[in-house]
Amino acid sequence: MDKKMFCFQCEQTAGCSGCTGAAGVCGKDAETSELQDRLTGALIGLARSAEGNRTFDSTDRAMLSGLFTTVTNVNFNPETIRKQISLVHREKEKLVPSCGGCSSPCGKNDDYVMKQLWEEQEDIRSLKSLILFGLRGMAAYAYHAMVLGYSDQTVNRFFYEGMASIGYDLPKERLLSLALKLGEVNLQCMELLDKANTETFGNPEPVSVPFKVEKGPFIVITGHDLYDLKLLLEQTEDKGINIYTHGEMLPAHAYPELKKYPHLKGNFGTAWQNQQKEFDHIPAPVLFTTNCLMPVKPSYADRVFTTEVVSYPGMIHIGEDKDFTPVIEKALELGGYAEEREFTGINGGSSTVTGFGHNTVLSVADTVVDAVKKGEISHFFLVGGCDGAHKERSYYTEFVKQTPKDSIILTLACGKYRFNDMDLGEIRGLPRIMDMGQCNDAYSAVKTAQALAEAFSCGINDLPLTLVLSWYEQKAVCILLTLLYLGMKDIYLGPKLPAFLSPGVLDMLVKEYRIHPVSDPESDLREILG
């Protein structure tokens, strides 16, 4: 009998209810799905074994890398997931070395069986899933900070508290409280990552990034890991190889310590869901540093490389030594394009601008505040989040096109590719579209909103600011929980609501936080602007 899976953690899940067949919509097969459930159960066991025990740096790393491995479109490789499960078990043995030989086993530190979660009462299952998926997203942020040598014990300890809670019989009120606490801790985690990035690479500065590709050998690097890009830039210096970002790596061009390399040339392609078309027969290797990997097509399978927790069967993986020689050799072998090639964004633009992090935006706060007071800026829209393949996502392109000409659009994450190549003009010398960075940079949006509220002596919900968010995977979940923790209301969320939100939990969130499912741009704008 063929194996069957159950997974409903991402937006594209089958039938808006869950992937239950031999493979998920993302391309993950039932074996990989089962192993990811086993890994999650092992992490819950690790979390319970950490109660009352001192953990080690290696324990924290196993927790973060294990959770990151289970984020959508990160790991499709059963072999590496099995190794991760073994690593988690070894770490648990350090915390409870005598547990396996105990004559009176309590079962507290056993691996949790995920089938128990999927069979819970629907509201309990929904809240526990909200916590689990939020923890997976937050783990990605904490992992990136850890790679740069930054960590926070409050953040690390909450991973154990949150994961342990999934294995216990807790009431809805307690689970909701934990979900909001996750939002609070994630704010601290995002602040930590912002500090790690800016202290390592400098504060982002606005920069125009071309979409053209020069002739000659080149490498495309995608994902979110800025440190991997730095290492690649160092190892390709003076080798006649140009480097192009893709997807969520685009904002790297704004960091002074990265853009100082003259062979960091521009951005290739658009958002992650277009990679199978855009990488088709590409005359260059592609290095995946984090999630957003799709099943690899034969037309470019010989030129895909992975590193960190990303893994795909048959692809060459760059290990902890970070020796990118195989990628460099492949770039020289393929040779790139014989002549310069012009590419465009989805709206026909030849370039885009990025680098409007909180440091840049707050440096012109006086100009922004004055423009609002004089009626030159009527409204701010934060239109951002994950992108995806479904046609409904054209909503975000049309929404931005129809925003008033005296409004500012802040954006972040790969959802910006729906409109980031459009020229909507300027207000007081400021572009109407300001890209604040990766989904990892959501802290910039929060900090900017808080600063504007302080400048106008009002609450965040009293600002002329509306959040119009698209979600796809688990990092969007932890960001949403942070926004709810901050008390932000009237968020427009789409293109579809999460399948793991039960009607009861959704009703609770709508009543408490006035979350709006997106409808159509015209109707939503009328409602927002009154």
Side-chain angles (χ1 to χ4, degrees), residues 306-369:
T306 60
T307 191
E308 290 295 345
V309 297
V310 191
S311 187
Y312 194 87
M315 302 299 104
I316 295 176
H317 188 79
I318 307 299
E320 293 182 3
D321 62 355
K322 294 297 181 179
D323 181 358
F324 293 120
T325 298
V327 189
I328 293 168
E329 290 176 343
K330 179 60 73 171
L332 294 171
E333 173 195 330
L334 293 169
Y337 293 113
E339 300 294 337
E340 180 177 286
R341 294 283 296 269
E342 297 284 346
F343 294 94
T344 65
I346 67 169
N347 299 288
S350 60
S351 65
T352 188
V353 176
T354 189
F356 289 92
H358 60 83
N359 187 68
T360 295
V361 176
L362 296 184
S363 70
V364 295
D366 291 344
T367 299
V368 172
V369 170

Side-chain angles (χ1 to χ4, degrees), residues 161-461:
E161 179 184 354
M163 289 298 286
S165 72
I166 296 166
Y168 294 136
D169 185 15
L170 299 175
K172 286 190 287 188
E173 295 74 20
R174 172 61 178 152
L175 292 171
L176 180 60
S177 175
L178 278 168
L180 293 176
K181 184 177 178 181
L182 194 161
E184 178 184 11
V185 176
N186 184 58
L187 178 62
Q188 191 169 337
C189 184
M190 290 193 299
E191 182 179 12
L192 176 72
L193 179 56
D194 178 79
K195 180 180 179 182
N197 284 337
T198 55
E199 290 187 355
T200 304
F201 306 113
N203 283 304
E205 302 165 347
V207 60
S208 179
V209 183
F211 295 149
K212 69 179 180 182
V213 176
E214 297 180 11
K215 69 177 183 179
F218 68 97
I219 296 170
V220 175
I221 181 169
T222 188
H224 306 73
D225 200 305
L226 300 177
Y227 185 61
D228 281 334
L229 172 58
K230 180 177 184 295
L231 294 177
L232 182 65
L233 288 167
E234 290 174 348
Q235 293 179 37
T236 52
E237 200 165 16
D238 300 322
K239 284 187 167 60
I241 299 173
N242 291 328
I243 306 300
Y244 293 87
T245 57
H246 171 269
E248 286 279 65
M249 198 63 80
L250 165 65
H253 291 271
Y255 288 91
E257 290 302 308
L258 297 174
K259 72 177 182 179
K260 71 181 183 181
Y261 291 91
H263 59 301
L264 178 60
K265 291 291 186 177
N267 190 75
F268 177 87
T270 52
W272 67 272
Q273 78 278 358
N274 299 319
Q275 66 188 253
Q276 290 180 326
K277 177 177 66 176
E278 293 173 346
F279 294 164
D280 194 39
H281 295 100
I282 182 176
V286 182
L287 176 63
F288 283 85
T289 66
T290 56
N291 54 310
C292 300
L293 169 66
M294 294 181 73
V296 181
K297 292 175 63 177
S299 61
Y300 60 90
D302 65 329
R303 56 206 70 185
V304 168
F305 298 82
T306 60
T307 191
E308 290 295 345
V309 297
V310 191
S311 187
Y312 194 87
M315 302 299 104
I316 295 176
H317 188 79
I318 307 299
E320 293 182 3
D321 62 355
K322 294 297 181 179
D323 181 358
F324 293 120
T325 298
V327 189
I328 293 168
E329 290 176 343
K330 179 60 73 171
L332 294 171
E333 173 195 330
L334 293 169
Y337 293 113
E339 300 294 337
E340 180 177 286
R341 294 283 296 269
E342 297 284 346
F343 294 94
T344 65
I346 67 169
N347 299 288
S350 60
S351 65
T352 188
V353 176
T354 189
F356 289 92
H358 60 83
N359 187 68
T360 295
V361 176
L362 296 184
S363 70
V364 295
D366 291 344
T367 299
V368 172
V369 170
D370 188 57
V372 172
K373 289 180 177 178
K374 292 181 176 178
E376 296 172 41
I377 296 177
S378 66
H379 208 86
F380 297 90
F381 297 94
L382 175 59
V383 185
C386 313
D387 203 1
H390 288 156
K391 291 180 179 179
E392 299 100 312
R393 289 180 179 271
S394 62
Y395 167 95
Y396 298 92
T397 309
E398 293 305 314
F399 185 95
V400 169
K401 284 180 179 178
Q402 295 179 39
T403 53
K405 292 182 180 180
D406 59 355
S407 63
I408 294 287
I409 294 92
L410 305 173
T411 188
L412 49 78
C414 62
K416 62 175 165 274
Y417 280 101
R418 291 280 167 177
F419 50 82
N420 71 337
D421 63 321
M422 292 193 295
D423 182 2
L424 297 185
E426 297 181 343
I427 300 175
R428 288 273 194 107
L430 299 172
R432 283 192 54 217
I433 297 179
M434 298 185 189
D435 176 23
M436 309 191 86
Q438 300 178 344
C439 61
N440 293 12
D441 298 311
Y443 177 72
S444 274
V446 171
K447 192 170 178 65
T448 297
Q450 290 174 326
L452 287 174
E454 184 177 345
F456 287 107
S457 300
C458 67
I460 288 180
N461 290 309

Side-chain angles (χ1 to χ4, degrees), residues 100-168:
C102 179
S103 59
S104 303
C106 63
K108 175 182 175 181
N109 300 316
D110 292 343
D111 287 357
Y112 179 75
V113 178
M114 292 296 287
K115 191 169 183 287
Q116 298 175 60
L117 172 58
W118 308 142
E119 294 178 350
E120 289 264 26
Q121 187 273 336
E122 66 171 2
D123 287 346
I124 297 295
R125 180 183 68 176
S126 181
L127 288 166
K128 286 186 175 183
S129 296
L130 190 63
I131 293 169
L132 172 61
F133 302 154
L135 287 169
R136 286 176 174 173
M138 186 169 75
Y141 299 146
Y143 187 90
H144 287 304
M146 179 186 66
V147 165
L148 296 174
Y150 290 72
S151 64
D152 183 286
Q153 279 307 302
T154 299
V155 173
N156 289 345
R157 288 303 306 177
F158 185 75
F159 283 107
Y160 299 99
E161 179 184 354
M163 289 298 286
S165 72
I166 296 166
Y168 294 136

